[in-house]
């Protein structure tokens, strides 16, 4: 025990990430990119004339539950996506069997020189308690922001995705075809960590390599209407730690009476103790030796992107705090330090923990098993397997070899350069719409973009106008018709943005 | 952080209970108590002739769920108990309203000089997963031990209780009345920690004080047929620790996306860290300063009782391990050290812990609240409020003032002397039945006996023949008809034991 406590002491003194070093004060200027000058009035008019029907298409999607974690409505949603793509004119549109939930592949051959890959996810997170509307009703409600669609999947990701397809419909209806070819590569397991997406990509790999880039439709305006676009995503590993009664001690078959704690080892305490060694007392510094070692310093481009975000950051921080219902960020961080932590730091987080009797009243038992589900977010150049190995090694070294580490899923981070033609085309369209984006080096969230950026060497961005919130939380929403005076885009504007983006990409230097 | 780690270091070095000191090698001899010599053949014959009906009465009780934690079947079971007592001839038999579930009071006036108080609990634990039969079917199944009743409440406590009342029925049916007066003081909240039992006692306090002692019917034979009787119980406090997002950090309204862990404090980590400071890494030594201070050394009588249990302890230890499905006791303890730990040590145990998403699949969230339900078992002279204060003070001192401590229920330990006339009468009856008991200084479990021993100054014992297991666990059972060659008592023998006990008490010196 003395030895372990001494280890803690040394670890606490030595642990933590290397300080993030900025070597330039220069800021990237998205506003300096020339605004897109095209105008596609027939398509815009078609959008305006068909907006009610376009909204209904989004509602039809969110009314179809597609909870990948519970295999609920997955087959139905995959079929709905395929059928919608066929109706839009994608000659190829098919389900892609995987060893998990099926993917959807589709191809629209416009005979164009350029090809855009559309990454779509058709699954959603399980609904949680605390919703004020039925999460699958497709409710339209009036809130502070104006009229919003409040539903599971409204913003993550059915709303923006179907809005993009609405734009595709309006271009084809008015111009007869698209300015670029589109390949759709959709999955139904994004919320599970995309364990089988590589199978889908492998099947169409040669064709995908011919594309100029990959788009993920995403409504990237915040509550004040400020647009954002991220040049990368963090990697993620979902894993479980579990303590069970075994040779090390504790009941192996079932829970026992809690009075026997006097002479029987308790798996729940083992799990708590093992977990507690992973992070500092405030939960914010990882104490697993070597966990930060593979993190590279921010590149010059990444530094410039952070520097560009600083001027209006205070207001965005306040909006973020309000939206998350937090009174502070970790360690009271703000400004460049807060952004650096958000973009450049790895995390270990408890998604859920459970053991014993968790119902009403009480049950005085000593549980025979205790489990925690965690995720770790990874930044370049961390790799999933290496980080898991470090945790396992740490647990063993600290005397927790009896605690099982079970990896559920995982993939590495991904990064795209702001200089890629697809990115420059997107910025030019944002600029045309008066919504010059805050281009961030990375999204703190995760998506399996590595299959595109690392495997296919394609630039990959999320882009789009519109504002939503509550992804993975109650009352998820997407603004459909903002209140007067708001800088948030309406559904019609979201769709017109995508019209312009397809034409801008067709005209790009890429 | 350095300061906290240093505290850990010092605590780990200094913590732990004072060594338990034995000052005598003498052993108490229950076998030296003269066997009870009475014989009540008419009552025994009545039991044998009515055994099928007596078993049906027990089945009727276990078929009535009475889960206090879920308020399920409580009113029905209270009424069933009252009605049964009336039918047996208790002229007084009534529900006792409390601010929680009702108690039941009954009185059988035999016009006898001596009075026995019968403590009964009519509630049961919630059923858990892992049952091989319907827990409320009242199933009779053939197992290793012979024919057993397998049901929730079979052994804890409906089976032994109703067996006692069957014995009462057979005495009255054959002798016209009982040899002692009986007061029944039953509660429906034992499994909740008996929060309102003092209200029931208060109402009948003056009458209860006139009794000679208190009996709790309990089938105290182990799987090998060895009988046991405990001279006391531990106290218990059930409490919750909870971490929530608040001024200290963390989301206050609802869970948020787990990627935000990079900049948002996590209540789940705070709970894990707070919990981890309560005990050593193996979960077996409490690190809360002062937690062991009020524990008195074992009395001479307690030491003699432990010494008496040592000769056949190895076999009992193996039986205990098998029954609990454990391969070892904490720290590899055995013999007197194991018994001392079981009887004389305080514990802190996690009954349940829950936070975030605990369903199938995964959900990458940062939960806004994390909760653990714990119990602590107390030995003389620990007192509930003092121990809770120590935990609160410790959490505050370690920087966890943000973690809520919520006491659910609690009561102190209780102790009876082996020299009390009721105890001597019970031992004499065990000896008559060829089942000289291992008299232990204490049961590791808890019951609100303090209301009798401390408040009413009455001796209080659990006593009875028979074997059961799985209290608070799947497939709870009570042996009804043991296999040939077993030393375990049958239901008929259990009931005859109680017949003898009532007559032995009537004839006692008390």
């Amino acid at each position: 025990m003395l030895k372990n406590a001494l280890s803690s002491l040394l670890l606490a003194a030595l642990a933590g990430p290397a300080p993030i070093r900025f070597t330039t004060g220069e800021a990237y200027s998205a506003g300096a990119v020339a605004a897109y000058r095209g105008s596609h009035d027939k398509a815009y008019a078609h959008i305006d004339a068909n907006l009610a029907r376009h909204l209904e298409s989004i509602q039809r999607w969110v009314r179809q539950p597609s909870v990948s974690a519970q295999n609920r409505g997955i087959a139905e949603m995959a079929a709905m996506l395929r059928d919608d793509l066929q109706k839009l004119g994608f000659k190829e549109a098919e389900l892609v069997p995987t060893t998990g939930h099926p993917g959807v592949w589709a191809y629209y051959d416009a005979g164009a020189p350029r090809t855009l890959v559309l990454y779509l996810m058709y699954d959603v997170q399980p609904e949680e308690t605390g919703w004020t509307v039925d999460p699958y009703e497709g409710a339209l409600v009036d809130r502070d922001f104006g009229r919003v669609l409040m539903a599971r999947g409204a913003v993550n990701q059915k709303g923006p995705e179907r809005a993009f397809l609405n734009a595709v419909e309006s271009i084809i209806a008015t111009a007869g075809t698209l300015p670029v070819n589109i390949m759709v590569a959709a999955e139904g397991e994004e919320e599970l960590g995309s364990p089988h997406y590589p199978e889908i990509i492998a099947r169409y790999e040669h064709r995908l390599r011919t594309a100029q880039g990959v788009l993920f439709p995403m409504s990237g305006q915040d509550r004040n209407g400020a647009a954002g676009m991220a040049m990368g995503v963090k990697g993620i590993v979902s894993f479980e730690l579990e303590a069970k009664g075994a040779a090390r001690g504790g009941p192996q078959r079932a829970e026992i009476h809690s009075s026997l704690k006097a002479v029987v080892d308790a798996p729940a305490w083992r799990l708590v103790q093992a977990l507690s060694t992973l992070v500092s007392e405030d939960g914010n510094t990882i104490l697993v030796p070597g966990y930060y070692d593979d993190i590279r310093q921010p590149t010059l481009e990444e530094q410039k992107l952070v520097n560009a975000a600083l001027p209006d950051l205070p207001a965005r921080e306040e909006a973020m705090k309000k939206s998350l219902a937090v009174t502070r960020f970790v360690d009271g961080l703000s400004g460049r330090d807060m952004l650096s932590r958000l973009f450049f730091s790895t995390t270990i987080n408890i998604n859920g923990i459970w053991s014993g009797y968790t119902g009403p009243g009480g049950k005085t038992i000593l549980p025979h098993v205790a489990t925690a589900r965690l995720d770790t977010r990874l930044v370049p150049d961390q790799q999933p397997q290496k980080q898991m190995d470090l945790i396992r090694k740490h647990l063993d070294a600290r005397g927790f070899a009896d605690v099982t580490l079970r990896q559920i899923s995982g993939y590495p981070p991904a990064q795209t350069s702001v200089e890629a033609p697809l990115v420059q085309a997107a910025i030019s369209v944002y600029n045309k719409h008066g919504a010059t984006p805050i281009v961030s080096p990375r999204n703190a969230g995760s998506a399996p973009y590595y299959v595109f950026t690392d495997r296919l060497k394609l630039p990959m961005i999320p882009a789009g106008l519109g504002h939503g919130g509550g992804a993975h939380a109650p009352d998820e929403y997407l603004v459909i018709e903002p209140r007067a005076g708001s800088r948030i885009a309406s559904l019609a504007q979201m769709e017109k943005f995508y019209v312009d983006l397809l034409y801008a990409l067709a005209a790009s230097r890429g």
Side-chain angles (χ1 to χ4, degrees), chain A:
Chain A
M1 191 185 291
L2 276 167
K3 186 160 158 269
N4 283 340
L6 196 56
S7 305
S8 285
L9 189 69
L10 294 172
L11 273 174
L14 299 172
I20 292 161
R21 288 187 301 272
F22 273 68
T23 54
T24 180
E26 216 177 308
Y28 179 78
S29 174
V33 175
Y36 176 64
R37 276 180 290 198
S39 190
H40 312 282
D41 299 334
K42 286 181 187 170
Y44 306 158
H46 187 272
I47 287 170
D48 291 333
N50 289 276
L51 199 63
R53 200 170 46 76
H54 282 187
L55 175 56
E56 278 163 24
S57 288
I58 298 176
Q59 287 175 300
R60 181 164 50 83
W61 277 27
V62 297
R63 283 171 184 152
Q64 173 58 56
S66 53
V67 185
S68 45
Q70 301 163 354
N71 195 13
R72 186 150 57 95
I74 286 295
E76 293 82 351
M77 190 66 219
M80 186 181 287
L81 172 57
R82 178 202 54 198
D83 296 347
D84 277 21
L85 290 165
Q86 280 174 338
K87 278 176 208 149
L88 286 169
F90 286 74
K91 290 281 187 332
E92 282 182 54
E94 60 200 27
L95 298 185
V96 186
T98 75
T99 48
H101 299 323
V104 176
W105 163 265
Y107 182 55
Y108 188 99
D109 185 357
R114 303 211 194 300
T115 300
L116 177 69
V117 177
L118 194 63
Y119 167 77
L120 300 179
M121 55 182 277
Y122 70 79
D123 64 324
V124 295
Q125 284 273 323
E127 67 275 18
E128 48 288 289
T129 54
W131 281 78
T132 60
V133 300
D134 177 342
Y136 301 109
E137 182 195 325
L140 295 169
V141 294
D142 292 316
R143 294 292 158 107
D144 289 355
F145 301 116
R147 170 152 281 205
V148 308
L149 173 66
M150 187 170 283
R152 174 46 25 104
V155 65
N156 179 24
Q157 202 73 12
K158 291 176 176 177
E161 290 176 343
R162 182 62 230 197
F164 181 93
L165 295 183
N166 289 338
V168 165
E169 184 209 271
S170 290
I171 296 174
I172 296 172
T174 53
T177 188
L178 294 174
V180 296
N181 313 311
I182 294 184
M183 296 174 175
V184 174
E187 67 163 324
E189 298 185 327
E190 198 276 346
E191 300 294 4
L192 302 182
S194 305
H196 303 105
Y197 195 57
E199 297 178 23
I200 299 168
I201 293 302
R203 190 147 163 179
Y204 304 94
E205 181 161 351
H206 291 295
R207 298 175 67 183
L208 289 164
R209 280 184 188 280
T210 64
Q212 274 63 54
V214 187
L215 175 73
F216 184 22
M218 184 176 289
S219 290
Q221 288 182 287
D222 72 11
R223 55 175 56 215
N224 298 316
M229 185 166 62
M231 290 299 98
V233 285
K234 291 188 181 179
I236 187 173
V237 186
S238 289
F239 62 103
E240 286 180 355
L241 291 184
E242 189 166 86
K244 294 176 97 159
R248 170 70 187 64
Q252 300 177 61
R253 193 175 52 221
E255 62 204 42
I256 61 175
H257 194 285
S258 81
S259 65
L260 294 157
K261 177 71 206 79
V263 292
V264 176
D265 298 279
W269 277 129
R270 286 298 284 172
L271 179 67
V272 163
Q273 294 292 347
L275 284 169
S276 78
T277 68
L278 297 182
V279 299
S280 56
E281 281 203 350
D282 64 3
N284 297 330
T285 301
I286 298 169
L287 299 184
V288 176
Y291 211 80
Y292 295 102
D293 286 359
D294 288 347
I295 301 176
R296 64 159 169 75
Q297 286 291 330
T299 63
L300 270 182
E301 181 178 304
E302 287 168 342
Q303 293 177 45
K304 289 179 192 172
L305 292 173
V306 168
N307 290 337
L310 298 181
D312 61 350
L313 186 56
R316 285 174 62 217
E317 285 181 359
E318 286 317 302
M320 196 172 157
K321 284 181 189 168
K322 190 173 170 194
S323 157
L324 301 174
V326 303
T327 56
R328 64 163 215 178
F329 294 120
V330 292
D331 300 338
L333 290 178
S334 64
R336 200 175 74 176
D337 293 338
M338 192 284 282
L339 277 192
S340 294
R341 190 73 75 94
L342 185 63
F343 296 139
F344 304 132
S345 82
T346 184
T347 55
I348 298 183
N349 176 61
I350 296 176
N351 302 154
I353 182 169
W354 60 97
S355 178
Y357 183 75
T358 60
K363 192 152 189 252
T364 47
I365 54 166
L366 190 168
H368 68 299
V369 56
T371 313
R373 174 71 71 96
L374 301 98
D375 70 46
T376 178
R377 305 273 174 174
L378 307 180
V379 295
D381 295 318
Q382 293 179 302
Q383 289 292 324
Q385 191 56 53
K386 169 82 178 294
Q387 303 305 122
M388 285 300 101
D389 291 346
L390 288 172
I391 292 176
R392 178 72 271 168
K393 192 177 160 195
H394 162 76
L395 290 173
D396 292 350
R398 287 296 298 268
F400 292 101
D402 53 312
V403 174
T404 303
L405 187 160
R406 196 159 46 229
Q407 183 175 338
I408 309 295
S409 62
Y411 51 73
Q415 206 63 30
T416 287
S417 169
V418 72
E419 301 302 336
L422 171 63
V423 178
Q424 292 290 309
I427 295 174
S428 76
V429 174
Y430 276 114
N431 286 346
K432 174 192 168 184
H433 285 258
T436 297
I438 298 158
V439 183
S440 69
R442 190 170 296 133
N443 186 316
S446 303
Y449 298 174
Y450 76 99
V451 295
F452 300 114
T453 59
D454 289 15
R455 183 163 169 173
L456 304 181
K457 310 296 179 199
L458 294 177
M460 158 89 195
I461 50 163
L465 288 179
H467 168 69
H472 300 207
D475 284 352
E476 179 179 348
Y477 67 94
L478 176 70
V479 175
I480 299 299
E481 191 54 51
R483 63 169 169 69
S486 168
R487 287 174 55 210
I488 294 172
S490 65
L491 175 60
Q493 287 173 288
M494 286 169 56
E495 297 186 6
K496 291 170 189 172
F497 175 97
Y498 289 129
V499 170
D500 289 344
L501 181 56
L502 290 178
Y503 281 104
L505 180 62
S508 75
R509 294 167 291 108

